[in-house]
Amino acid sequence: MRVICIGHSTYDITLPMNEFPVENIKYRLDKHIECGGGPAGNGAYLLAKWGMDVFIGSIIGNDFYGDKVTEEFKNIGVNIKYLEKLDNHKTSSSYIIANMKNGSRTILTSKDKMIRKLSKDIEEDADLILVDGEHIDTALDILDKNPTAVSVLDAGRINEDTKLLGKKVTYLICSKEFAEEFCNMKITRIDEQFELINIHKKLEEYFNTNIIITLEANGSFTKIDGEYKLISSVKVTALDSTGAGDIFHGAFVYFIGNNYSLYDSIKYASIAGAISVTRIGSRFSIPDLKEVLEYDDVI
């Protein structure tokens, strides 16, 4: 099974704190965590760690952070044939304040200009495709080239590009915030599901594809065989939620691509995401595949 991931790669610097910082105060930290990040980048890293044949299509700068991102991909086994280093481009960097008291994170990202297309066309055929809305022209090309591949959109932001991609993928996985903004509706009650059903219907009608709405600690909402289902998440004590969504998407690609049912793919992806929030740093928080599969035995 060959996976092609198209999208954003960044370098994360996480600052663990016991409270959110107050303006105009100096803080001294005992440690910080550095590792690669980005939706497609984290998805590719997870899939390679779990033994898949993975290509990453992404653009970074010919700089220190770009070298670190490249080294991480190479060490875990991601094929970097389509990871492009540009002299006139700076690698995206994210500075993350992780509030260890409540598990929240605040992210400040420095990102260079958007580049819509990689300089090289991707020659390899794909069985599985993960896109996050970055490098839209390359993403559309690879989707058109592989019409039978199972494809997933990590729908993080609403714009014309994600609207277009959403109509071309097998699964559109979006956050609660994406769903609310797109439909101009609020989800105030998870338990009664009336709002969720109406929002899911609107998304499904527009995109005409499989819709999964992630609800963080409340699980995920989708439709399976014509029946709406709220699939619960694992209850954990969160330290740092950075990258949890990326890990969910990467894990979902793995399980759906290995012929797990839609229900089980979401369930195991939720477990992977839940385990990750108990650790600090997106790449460092990715669990082993065995850990995810065995976790099911105790829930």
Side-chain angles (χ1 to χ4, degrees), residues 10 44 129 206:
T10 184
I129 300 169
Y206 182 87

PDB file of all heavy atoms in Angstrom, residues 10 44 129 206:
ATOM      1  N   THR A  10       6.170  21.736   8.982  1.00  0.00           N
ATOM      2  CA  THR A  10       6.651  22.838   9.797  1.00  0.00           C
ATOM      3  C   THR A  10       7.610  22.307  10.853  1.00  0.00           C
ATOM      4  O   THR A  10       7.798  21.086  10.992  1.00  0.00           O
ATOM      5  CB  THR A  10       5.467  23.570  10.470  1.00  0.00           C
ATOM      6  OG1 THR A  10       5.952  24.702  11.178  1.00  0.00           O
ATOM      7  CG2 THR A  10       4.735  22.669  11.439  1.00  0.00           C
ATOM      8  N   ALA A  44       2.288  11.794   7.523  1.00  0.00           N
ATOM      9  CA  ALA A  44       3.296  10.985   6.836  1.00  0.00           C
ATOM     10  C   ALA A  44       4.229  10.313   7.836  1.00  0.00           C
ATOM     11  O   ALA A  44       4.587   9.136   7.679  1.00  0.00           O
ATOM     12  CB  ALA A  44       4.089  11.863   5.865  1.00  0.00           C
ATOM     13  N   ILE A 129      -4.254   8.515  -0.244  1.00  0.00           N
ATOM     14  CA  ILE A 129      -3.829   9.904  -0.393  1.00  0.00           C
ATOM     15  C   ILE A 129      -4.331  10.696   0.811  1.00  0.00           C
ATOM     16  O   ILE A 129      -5.502  10.595   1.189  1.00  0.00           O
ATOM     17  CB  ILE A 129      -4.388  10.524  -1.688  1.00  0.00           C
ATOM     18  CG1 ILE A 129      -3.900   9.746  -2.916  1.00  0.00           C
ATOM     19  CG2 ILE A 129      -3.990  11.995  -1.794  1.00  0.00           C
ATOM     20  CD1 ILE A 129      -4.621  10.143  -4.201  1.00  0.00           C
ATOM     21  N   TYR A 206     -23.397  19.289   0.234  1.00  0.00           N
ATOM     22  CA  TYR A 206     -22.498  20.147  -0.538  1.00  0.00           C
ATOM     23  C   TYR A 206     -21.323  19.355  -1.126  1.00  0.00           C
ATOM     24  O   TYR A 206     -21.013  19.488  -2.319  1.00  0.00           O
ATOM     25  CB  TYR A 206     -21.964  21.275   0.341  1.00  0.00           C
ATOM     26  CG  TYR A 206     -21.051  22.232  -0.408  1.00  0.00           C
ATOM     27  CD1 TYR A 206     -21.584  23.315  -1.107  1.00  0.00           C
ATOM     28  CD2 TYR A 206     -19.668  22.035  -0.418  1.00  0.00           C
ATOM     29  CE1 TYR A 206     -20.757  24.184  -1.806  1.00  0.00           C
ATOM     30  CE2 TYR A 206     -18.833  22.895  -1.127  1.00  0.00           C
ATOM     31  CZ  TYR A 206     -19.385  23.962  -1.815  1.00  0.00           C
ATOM     32  OH  TYR A 206     -18.555  24.819  -2.514  1.00  0.00           O
TER      33      TYR A 206
END
